[in-house]
Coordinates of all heavy atoms in Angstrom, one line a residue:
K89 N 0.8 -1.2 0.0 CA 0.0 0.0 0.0 C 0.9 1.2 0.0 O 1.9 1.3 0.7 CB -0.9 0.0 1.2 CG -2.0 -1.1 1.1 CD -2.9 -1.0 2.3 CE -3.9 -2.2 2.3 NZ -4.8 -2.2 1.2
L90 N 0.5 2.2 -0.7 CA 1.2 3.4 -0.9 C 1.3 4.3 0.3 O 2.3 4.8 0.7 CB 0.7 4.3 -2.1 CG 1.3 5.6 -2.4 CD1 2.8 5.4 -2.8 CD2 0.5 6.3 -3.4
V91 N 0.1 4.5 1.0 CA 0.1 5.4 2.1 C 0.5 4.7 3.4 O -0.2 3.8 3.9 CB -1.4 6.0 2.2 CG1 -1.4 6.9 3.4 CG2 -1.7 6.7 1.0
D92 N 1.6 5.2 3.9 CA 2.1 4.7 5.2 C 2.7 5.9 5.9 O 2.7 7.0 5.3 CB 3.0 3.5 5.1 CG 4.2 3.8 4.3 OD1 4.6 4.9 4.0 OD2 4.9 2.8 4.0
R93 N 3.3 5.8 7.1 CA 4.0 6.9 7.8 C 5.1 7.5 6.9 O 5.1 8.8 6.8 CB 4.6 6.4 9.1 CG 4.0 7.0 10.3 CD 4.5 6.4 11.6 NE 3.4 6.1 12.4 CZ 3.0 4.9 12.6 NH1 3.5 3.9 12.1 NH2 2.0 4.7 13.4
D94 N 5.9 6.7 6.3 CA 7.0 7.3 5.5 C 6.5 8.1 4.3 O 7.0 9.1 4.0 CB 7.9 6.1 5.0 CG 8.7 5.5 6.1 OD1 8.9 6.1 7.1 OD2 9.1 4.3 5.9
F95 N 5.4 7.6 3.7 CA 4.8 8.3 2.5 C 4.3 9.6 3.0 O 4.5 10.6 2.3 CB 3.7 7.4 1.9 CG 3.0 8.1 0.8 CD1 3.6 8.2 -0.5 CD2 1.7 8.7 1.0 CE1 2.9 8.8 -1.5 CE2 1.1 9.4 -0.1 CZ 1.7 9.4 -1.3
V96 N 3.6 9.7 4.1 CA 3.0 11.0 4.6 C 4.2 11.9 4.9 O 4.1 13.1 4.6 CB 2.1 10.7 5.8 CG1 1.7 12.1 6.4 CG2 0.9 9.9 5.4
E97 N 5.2 11.4 5.5 CA 6.4 12.3 5.7 C 7.0 12.8 4.4 O 7.4 14.0 4.3 CB 7.4 11.6 6.6 CG 7.0 11.4 8.0 CD 8.0 10.5 8.8 OE1 9.1 10.2 8.3 OE2 7.6 10.2 10.0
D98 N 7.1 11.9 3.4 CA 7.6 12.4 2.1 C 6.7 13.4 1.5 O 7.2 14.4 0.9 CB 7.7 11.2 1.1 CG 8.8 10.2 1.5 OD1 9.7 10.6 2.3 OD2 8.8 9.1 1.0
I99 N 5.4 13.2 1.6 CA 4.4 14.2 1.1 C 4.6 15.6 1.8 O 4.6 16.6 1.2 CB 3.0 13.7 1.2 CG1 2.8 12.6 0.3 CG2 2.0 14.8 0.9 CD1 2.8 12.9 -1.2
E100 N 4.8 15.5 3.1 CA 5.0 16.7 3.9 C 6.3 17.4 3.4 O 6.3 18.7 3.3 CB 5.2 16.3 5.4 CG 5.5 17.5 6.3 CD 5.9 17.1 7.7 OE1 6.0 15.9 8.0 OE2 6.1 18.0 8.5
F101 N 7.3 16.7 3.1 CA 8.6 17.3 2.7 C 8.5 17.9 1.3 O 9.1 19.0 1.1 CB 9.7 16.2 2.7 CG 11.0 16.7 2.3 CD1 11.8 17.5 3.1 CD2 11.5 16.3 1.0 CE1 13.1 17.9 2.7 CE2 12.8 16.8 0.6 CZ 13.5 17.6 1.4
I102 N 7.8 17.3 0.4 CA 7.8 17.8 -1.0 C 6.7 18.8 -1.3 O 6.7 19.4 -2.4 CB 7.7 16.7 -2.0 CG1 6.4 15.9 -1.9 CG2 8.9 15.8 -1.9 CD1 6.2 14.9 -3.0
T103 N 5.7 19.0 -0.4 CA 4.6 19.9 -0.6 C 4.9 21.2 0.1 O 5.6 21.3 1.1 CB 3.3 19.4 -0.2 OG1 3.4 19.0 1.2 CG2 2.9 18.2 -1.0
E104 N 4.2 22.3 -0.4 CA 4.3 23.6 0.2 C 3.1 23.7 1.1 O 2.1 23.0 1.0 CB 4.3 24.7 -0.9 CG 5.5 24.6 -1.8 CD 5.4 25.7 -2.9 OE1 4.4 26.5 -2.9 OE2 6.2 25.7 -3.8
K105 N 3.2 24.7 2.0 CA 2.0 25.0 2.8 C 0.8 25.3 2.0 O 0.9 25.9 0.9 CB 2.3 26.2 3.7 CG 3.3 25.9 4.8 CD 3.5 27.1 5.7 CE 4.5 26.7 6.8 NZ 4.7 27.7 7.8
N106 N -0.3 24.9 2.5 CA -1.6 25.1 1.8 C -1.8 24.2 0.6 O -2.7 24.4 -0.2 CB -2.0 26.5 1.5 CG -2.1 27.3 2.7 OD1 -2.7 26.9 3.7 ND2 -1.5 28.5 2.8
S107 N -0.9 23.2 0.4 CA -1.1 22.3 -0.7 C -2.3 21.3 -0.4 O -2.5 21.0 0.8 CB 0.1 21.4 -0.9 OG 1.2 22.2 -1.4
L108 N -3.0 20.9 -1.4 CA -4.1 20.0 -1.1 C -3.7 18.6 -1.6 O -3.1 18.4 -2.6 CB -5.4 20.4 -1.9 CG -6.0 21.7 -1.6 CD1 -7.2 21.9 -2.5 CD2 -6.5 21.7 -0.1
I109 N -4.0 17.6 -0.7 CA -3.7 16.2 -1.1 C -5.0 15.5 -1.1 O -5.8 15.5 -0.1 CB -2.7 15.6 0.0 CG1 -1.3 16.2 -0.1 CG2 -2.6 14.1 -0.2 CD1 -1.1 17.4 0.7
I110 N -5.3 14.8 -2.2 CA -6.5 14.1 -2.3 C -6.2 12.6 -2.3 O -5.4 12.1 -3.1 CB -7.3 14.5 -3.6 CG1 -7.6 16.0 -3.6 CG2 -8.6 13.7 -3.7 CD1 -8.2 16.5 -4.9
F111 N -6.9 11.9 -1.4 CA -6.7 10.5 -1.2 C -8.0 9.8 -1.5 O -9.0 10.3 -0.9 CB -6.2 10.1 0.2 CG -6.2 8.7 0.5 CD1 -5.3 7.8 0.0 CD2 -7.3 8.1 1.2 CE1 -5.3 6.5 0.3 CE2 -7.3 6.8 1.5 CZ -6.4 6.0 1.0
A112 N -8.1 8.8 -2.3 CA -9.3 8.1 -2.5 C -9.1 6.6 -2.4 O -8.1 6.1 -2.8 CB -9.8 8.4 -3.9
S113 N -10.1 5.9 -1.9 CA -10.1 4.5 -1.8 C -11.5 3.9 -1.7 O -12.4 4.6 -1.1 CB -9.2 4.0 -0.6 OG -9.3 2.6 -0.5
D114 N -11.7 2.7 -2.2 CA -13.0 2.1 -2.0 C -12.9 1.0 -0.9 O -13.8 0.3 -0.6 CB -13.5 1.4 -3.3 CG -12.6 0.4 -3.8 OD1 -11.6 0.1 -3.2 OD2 -12.9 -0.2 -4.9
N115 N -11.8 0.9 -0.2 CA -11.5 0.0 0.9 C -11.5 0.7 2.2 O -10.7 1.5 2.5 CB -10.2 -0.7 0.6 CG -9.9 -1.8 1.6 OD1 -9.4 -1.5 2.7 ND2 -10.0 -3.0 1.3

């Protein structure tokens, strides 16, 4: 699975303040 603690930290590092992250799943 893509979303884990490390992934969220990576997203935090590469995004700027006020960036929107959209996550979708049917599970």
Side-chain angles (χ1 to χ4, degrees):
K89 292 184 185 294
L90 177 65
V91 179
D92 61 14
R93 242 179 229 102
D94 292 335
F95 177 78
V96 172
E97 288 175 7
D98 290 344
I99 292 291
E100 176 188 6
F101 180 72
I102 65 171
T103 56
E104 297 178 7
K105 289 184 179 184
N106 295 317
S107 295
L108 296 179
I109 292 84
I110 300 172
F111 168 80
S113 177
D114 61 3
N115 181 281

